[in-house]
Amino acid sequence: MSILILQGRHPAAPPLQSQLLTELRRLAQAVGRHLELRPCADLRELIGSLRAARRRGCEFVLLDPGELAPQALARPEPLRQALDELPSDYIEVHADSATTLDERLRARAAPIATIVINGDLAASYRLGLGIALRRLGRA
């Protein structure tokens, strides 16, 4: 797997629409990369998916915590540790500036970018993927 999208809950919005996911996969495939989506219902699942990305040799992660950011703040250490153990770069992707991860969650592993286009998650994903593909192209 090359690029993993980890998407937390978005109660007010549907999961990544199939048309957008198809578009993102097509963009990744055009430069020889594979893209996989992993929806995460809760913080435990998000952390487990981050750890699994490490074991599976993921080259890049687009991290969309959605509504899970407040849960992460209540118990920051597990997410902080999972991010620190991630061997690849990651980009945070958000539809709302209120869902960005707090600085307290980032020990060593800060994202290379945090993309927030309020009210337009699809645009945030497109921009985040473009940055990821550009970085992987230099590797």
Side-chain angles (χ1 to χ4, degrees):
M1 157 186 11
S2 293
I3 301 167
L4 175 64
I5 296 175
L6 292 178
Q7 185 182 44
R9 291 181 317 187
H10 287 270
L16 211 56
Q17 296 176 356
S18 63
Q19 181 180 358
L20 174 60
L21 185 56
T22 299
E23 175 190 341
L24 297 174
R25 284 185 171 142
R26 197 173 305 133
L27 290 169
Q29 288 172 349
V31 293
R33 303 292 182 185
H34 175 75
L35 183 126
E36 181 181 324
L37 170 66
R38 165 99 57 218
C40 301
D42 57 31
L43 185 60
R44 186 171 57 101
E45 194 174 341
L46 182 73
I47 291 167
S49 295
L50 279 167
R51 291 189 171 129
R54 179 176 150 212
R55 289 189 302 273
R56 295 175 69 188
C58 182
E59 293 180 275
F60 213 100
V61 173
L62 296 180
L63 177 60
D64 171 11
E67 300 294 323
L68 300 178
Q71 289 180 31
L73 284 175
R75 291 191 55 229
E77 188 55 35
L79 181 58
R80 182 184 309 131
Q81 184 178 9
L83 290 171
D84 281 346
E85 293 170 356
L86 194 63
S88 62
D89 288 330
Y90 74 99
I91 293 175
E92 282 184 39
V93 180
H94 304 276
D96 184 333
S97 57
T99 63
T100 61
L101 294 177
D102 187 278
E103 288 294 322
R104 292 174 285 176
L105 294 173
R106 300 182 188 132
R108 293 186 313 262
I112 63 164
T114 299
I115 309 297
V116 180
I117 300 179
N118 285 309
D120 194 347
L121 185 58
S124 294
Y125 273 109
R126 287 182 190 103
L127 186 56
L129 180 61
I131 293 168
L133 293 174
R134 180 172 284 168
R135 294 282 294 225
L136 289 172
R138 287 190 257 158

